[in-house]
Amino acid sequence: FFLGGSDTVEFPIKFTPKHAGCYHCQILLKSSCDIRVYEIECVVNAEQADAQLEFLTPAYQMVTQEIPISNMSSQDWRFEAVLEGQCFYGPPVINVRVGETAQYPLTFKPVAEC
């Protein structure tokens, strides 16, 4: 596989992942006068889903909701949580190992009726 000048050749690749994750691939192209290795990394994200949580609790009483995070990829995940809004608490970091489901404890602790 050798190209001279500004010629280009399309090299279509079909990729059909079964799960979200990071996939690595090497493509080796050889000709009688050239060898080239291309490394490809494909990152597949799971479908984005909007979610809504509703917390109902008597005034001044806290409630915690466990949010499951499943890692079906081939690499461990490390999440940093950024909580916005008053009265919400949770760990700043959560790790989810390959093939496991971790629970993120989101706590609502109201300081007034709202």
Side-chain angles (χ1 to χ4, degrees), residues 56-101:
L56 297 174
T57 183
Y60 307 107
Q61 291 186 18
M62 75 175 196
V63 61
T64 299
Q65 173 69 50
E66 298 283 338
I67 301 171
I69 301 173
S70 297
N71 182 353
M72 304 310 287
S73 76
S74 60
Q75 294 182 344
D76 292 342
W77 290 345
R78 181 183 187 274
F79 286 102
E80 293 184 16
V82 177
L83 300 178
E84 296 180 0
Q86 296 178 345
C87 307
F88 288 94
Y89 304 91
V93 174
I94 186 169
N95 295 300
V96 187
R97 298 180 64 88
V98 171
E100 294 183 359
T101 298

Side-chain angles (χ1 to χ4, degrees), residues 8-64:
T8 61
V9 173
E10 289 188 26
F11 191 76
I13 297 173
K14 183 174 181 179
F15 177 65
T16 311
K18 293 186 180 193
H19 302 287
C22 186
Y23 296 85
H24 300 274
C25 174
Q26 281 189 345
I27 299 173
L28 175 65
L29 302 176
K30 293 194 285 185
S31 75
S32 60
C33 57
D34 194 14
I35 296 176
R36 295 177 188 217
V37 178
Y38 293 91
E39 292 193 15
I40 297 175
E41 178 181 278
C42 298
V43 177
V44 178
N45 297 318
E47 284 187 32
Q48 298 290 331
D50 291 334
Q52 182 176 350
L53 296 176
E54 184 175 326
F55 290 88
L56 297 174
T57 183
Y60 307 107
Q61 291 186 18
M62 75 175 196
V63 61
T64 299

